Amino acid sequence: MKSLTIRRPDDWHLHLRDGDMLKGVTPESTRDFGRAIIMPNLVPPVVTKANAEAYRDRILAAIPEGADFEPLMTLYLTEATDPVDVIAASKAGLVKAVKLYPAGATTNSASGVRDFDKVRGVLEAMAEAGLPLCVHGEVTDADIDIFDREAVFIDRVLDPLRRSTPGLRVVMEHITTEEGVAYAASVGPDLGATITTHHLIINRNHILVGGIRPHYYCLPVAKREKHRLALRKAATSGDPTYFLGTDSAPHVDPLKETACGCAGVFSSTNTMSCLAHVFEENAALDKLEAFASLNGPAFYRLAPNDATITLEKQTDPVEYPAKIETGDGPVTVFDPGYPLHWRVV
Ligand code: NCD
Ligand code: ZN
């Protein structure tokens, strides 16, 4: 039997939601992960230090007894965000990043930023404090094709934003294109990029060929095969620029399997099995620890977890539930489309 022991991984981009959904999905992350960067796109969003404190307490209450898990909180950047509040939340150790959603880019992003001049003061304070900005990198202009939104964002928004705010530390969230991989590689240690589990596994054909698959629909949408291959190369390279952010984003099945379905793939449950499969396929199992457990903490200037997890490869496929039952309804677990043999023991 093949086995692999690595530092306990972290998830640098996770949606835990609130209420019954929070209670239902939190154990799916705390089983394998030590920490997670918690996305603030609740309704209403987490915008102030006080909001983040209250949300953190609700998350802590949802963590199963005995689990070793720390939520790393973020604030949702709006045009009304107060730099003083942001810096206080960072200095208190509560908030580890601020999230930028271009208005209208994705689920619950209506309060996002339209006019970047309005957030200049916050960005300058963050640069000074070394507090990272996590960026949902898609333009929202109606005339830009959805498959081009990331590449256009890099040229029109991200690069000018970085140049006008020297020293700002940035995470390109859930990159999906070879342009994203290349831009991240071109910058240096003040820029990191997260990659999801599902974007290493599916391309746009998986969403659309042979019938529409709502559970593969997420934002940014999966792109062509050449982009998936670029993401695989980046993730399995060991390069410290790239680290795991699952973007696990639960929506109940009735909201996915409908005429206008929500964006989001839920992969917390089987991410480590999927990743071991992917890294083994790329002959890079020795780089899995860097991607899932070391590069993220290094970017966020935190120590890696002391604890470890062990993955074992078994002959029979690992059984995962097709759905997680939450108090809000069923949530379908990401299906990589092939049997998984690596299991966290
Ligand atoms: C996320 C969600 O549902 O909150 N959906 C998604 O497809 N990734 C929003 C996001 O992170 O873009
Ligand atoms: Zn997300």
Side-chain angles (χ1 to χ4, degrees):
M1 185 177 340
K2 274 203 208 165
S3 124
L4 175 69
T5 296
I6 60 172
R7 298 275 194 146
R8 190 165 163 85
D10 303 303
D11 184 348
W12 299 96
H13 182 132
L14 175 64
H15 298 267
L16 285 180
R17 315 298 191 202
D18 214 339
D20 286 341
M21 180 63 90
L22 168 68
K23 292 193 187 82
V25 299
T26 298
E28 301 304 305
S29 283
T30 63
R31 199 175 295 130
D32 295 342
F33 295 98
R35 295 168 289 196
I37 283 276
I38 309 297
M39 286 296 122
N41 64 330
L42 305 181
V43 192
V46 178
V47 292
T48 63
K49 175 171 182 270
N51 295 158
E53 257 157 7
Y55 186 32
R56 182 203 45 200
D57 290 348
R58 298 197 296 280
I59 295 169
L60 292 177
I63 297 174
E65 190 80 30
D68 169 20
F69 181 81
E70 184 189 358
L72 308 174
M73 307 309 291
T74 63
L75 296 177
Y76 186 122
L77 183 62
T78 74
E79 292 177 3
T81 296
D82 175 6
V84 174
D85 186 61
V86 171
I87 298 309
S90 163
K91 288 228 167 90
L94 171 71
V95 156
K96 295 292 190 285
V98 172
K99 174 76 186 224
L100 168 66
Y101 287 104
T106 185
T107 315
N108 305 335
S109 62
S111 329
V113 176
R114 270 164 237 279
D115 177 358
F116 283 85
D117 284 340
K118 298 221 169 98
V119 296
R120 180 133 312 285
V122 182
L123 298 181
E124 281 166 5
M126 289 171 61
E128 166 125 18
L131 182 64
L133 181 72
C134 292
V135 178
H136 183 110
E138 290 191 285
V139 293
T140 53
D141 314 50
D143 62 330
I144 305 294
D145 189 278
I146 191 166
F147 293 101
D148 298 334
R149 288 180 166 197
E150 180 172 297
V152 173
F153 182 90
I154 293 169
D155 291 344
R156 286 198 194 163
V157 183
L158 181 59
D159 195 58
L161 183 83
R162 285 193 45 257
R163 287 178 195 284
S164 64
T165 322
L168 182 66
R169 309 193 72 233
V170 171
V171 182
M172 296 173 72
E173 301 270 74
H174 42 51
I175 55 170
T176 58
T177 58
E178 60 185 14
E179 289 86 349
V181 169
Y183 187 80
S186 74
V187 174
D190 279 341
L191 185 132
T194 60
I195 301 177
T196 76
T197 310
H198 51 281
H199 288 115
L200 294 171
I201 295 176
I202 60 165
N203 62 33
R204 63 193 197 179
N205 277 18
H206 293 91
I207 311 172
L208 296 170
V209 173
I212 190 157
R213 316 286 165 142
H215 296 290
Y216 289 154
Y217 173 62
C218 67
L219 289 170
V221 70
K223 309 295 193 298
R224 287 178 179 275
E225 178 65 358
K226 68 169 181 176
H227 297 292
R228 187 186 72 96
L229 295 176
L231 296 172
R232 276 224 181 189
K233 196 166 164 216
T236 59
S237 66
D239 182 330
T241 305
Y242 308 102
F243 43 94
L244 174 63
T246 65
D247 195 16
S248 185
H251 294 277
V252 292
D253 284 354
L255 294 179
K256 296 283 295 173
E257 299 167 5
T258 179
C260 183
C262 293
V265 167
F266 177 71
S267 62
S268 296
T269 308
N270 58 2
T271 272
M272 292 313 299
S273 290
C274 289
L275 290 178
H277 183 105
V278 162
F279 277 65
E280 184 177 43
E281 234 170 39
N282 276 44
L285 269 178
D286 61 325
K287 302 292 195 311
L288 178 59
E289 184 177 44
F291 180 67
S293 315
L294 302 178
N295 298 348
F299 179 85
Y300 278 92
R301 299 176 173 161
L302 297 168
N305 294 311
D306 284 329
T308 59
I309 64 164
T310 297
L311 289 134
E312 279 180 4
K313 190 175 186 189
Q314 60 185 47
T315 313
D316 294 331
V318 188
E319 304 263 358
Y320 283 105
K323 297 170 194 299
I324 298 297
E325 291 302 333
T326 75
D328 271 354
V331 173
T332 292
V333 175
F334 174 61
D335 174 8
Y338 40 70
L340 295 167
H341 292 270
W342 286 93
R343 183 169 67 92
V344 180
V345 295

